[in-house]
């Protein structure tokens, strides 16, 4: 009997809860608005990541081996292994190196964020720059002579950077590969992929 009575005394009514909230309304509103402000600040200072997806269809030549696989089975397992090899190849450093060299020789080299020519400036950074302007650093790798050790080292650096931005997804049952490259700019993501 005592325990039940004790529990009934401890019960808090909805009116009491509302009274507590009303008494602490200034503190609660300060905490909520501060959290909201920090969230908005964090959201607008982040660099976006756009991904353009290219779909590749891998065609295999019909040979006697393919005919044997079709008759005896084991084709899907072999397809899966081949697809895995293609995924690894597309994410490999030599392919990234070839791509970087092609990008370097393209007409868009001086307008790519990837090479540091087109920096992404977040709205928060733009506001800070407007209040207190900071002179951007000039990229000094424009005049490097091709086919020199310094040029090759630079290409290797960019190839490693590109290979981290590439994502390749293979489909389990088909010979279709989805290749995507990340960039802060949508048009550049499309160009890179």
């Amino acid at each position: 009997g005592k325990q039940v009575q004790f529990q009934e005394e401890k019960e808090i009514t909805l009116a009491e809860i509302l009274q507590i909230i009303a008494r602490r309304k200034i503190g609660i509103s300060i905490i909520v608005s501060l959290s909201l402000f920090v969230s908005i600040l964090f959201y607008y200072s982040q660099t976006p990541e756009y991904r353009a997806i290219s779909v590749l269809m891998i065609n295999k030549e019909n040979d006697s081996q393919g005919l044997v696989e079709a008759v005896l089975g084991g084709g899907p397992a072999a397809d899966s292994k081949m697809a895995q090899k293609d995924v690894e190849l597309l994410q490999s450093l030599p392919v990234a190196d070839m791509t970087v060299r092609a990008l370097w020789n393209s007409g868009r080299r001086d307008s790519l964020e990837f090479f540091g020519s087109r920096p992404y400036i977040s709205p928060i950074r733009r506001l800070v720059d407007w209040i207190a302007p900071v002179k951007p650093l000039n990229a000094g790798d424009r005049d490097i002579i091709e086919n020199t050790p310094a040029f090759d080292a630079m290409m290797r650096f960019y190839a490693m950077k590109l290979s981290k931005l590439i994502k390749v997804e293979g489909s389990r049952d088909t010979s279709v590969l989805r290749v995507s490259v990340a960039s802060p700019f949508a048009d550049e993501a499309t160009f890179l992929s």
Side-chain angles (χ1 to χ4, degrees):
K2 276 185 181 178
Q3 200 175 3
V4 172
Q5 200 174 4
F6 180 72
Q7 278 181 349
E8 281 174 2
E9 285 172 17
K10 277 281 189 185
E11 272 183 28
I12 299 171
T13 62
L14 185 63
E16 286 173 330
I17 290 169
L18 291 172
Q19 279 177 351
I20 292 166
I21 291 170
R23 278 201 303 269
R24 310 252 194 282
K25 66 181 171 219
I26 295 167
I28 290 168
S29 60
I30 287 169
I31 290 166
V32 168
S33 47
L34 251 170
S35 304
L36 190 66
F37 176 73
V38 169
S39 308
I40 290 167
L41 201 71
F42 182 73
Y43 176 78
Y44 282 108
S45 65
Q46 289 294 299
T47 302
E49 187 182 274
Y50 292 97
R51 279 192 175 272
I53 298 171
S54 297
V55 178
L56 300 180
M57 182 88 173
I58 311 298
N59 287 328
K60 283 203 313 179
E61 288 178 17
N62 290 328
D63 54 4
S64 58
Q65 187 66 33
L67 186 65
V68 169
E69 281 176 3
V71 173
L72 299 177
D79 280 354
S80 163
K81 274 187 182 175
M82 285 299 289
Q84 189 56 42
K85 279 181 189 172
D86 291 328
V87 167
E88 284 172 24
L89 180 68
L90 283 166
Q91 288 178 314
S92 70
L93 215 54
V95 169
D97 191 88
M98 282 166 57
T99 308
V100 164
R101 286 171 193 271
L103 289 169
W104 186 261
N105 294 320
S106 74
R108 283 192 61 180
R109 177 177 83 191
D110 294 329
S111 63
L112 291 175
E113 188 273 340
F114 180 75
F115 289 127
S117 307
R118 179 194 185 190
Y120 174 79
I121 301 162
S122 68
I124 300 295
R125 172 83 188 274
R126 209 172 284 132
L127 182 69
V128 169
D129 282 352
W130 181 70
I131 294 162
V134 178
K135 194 180 175 189
L137 293 168
N138 291 324
D141 56 14
R142 296 278 165 267
D143 303 322
I144 289 180
I145 301 157
E146 287 192 31
N147 302 320
T148 59
F151 180 79
D152 290 338
M154 184 180 71
M155 288 295 108
R156 199 163 30 255
F157 166 77
Y158 282 126
M160 286 168 77
K161 181 182 173 182
L162 182 65
S163 66
K164 286 174 188 165
L165 299 175
I166 295 171
K167 193 160 89 179
V168 185
E169 291 171 342
S171 183
R172 184 170 284 188
D173 300 320
T174 62
S175 55
V176 171
L177 294 176
R178 282 184 295 279
V179 182
S180 66
V181 184
S183 174
F185 300 100
D187 63 319
E188 189 167 323
T190 306
F191 179 67
L192 292 175
S193 69

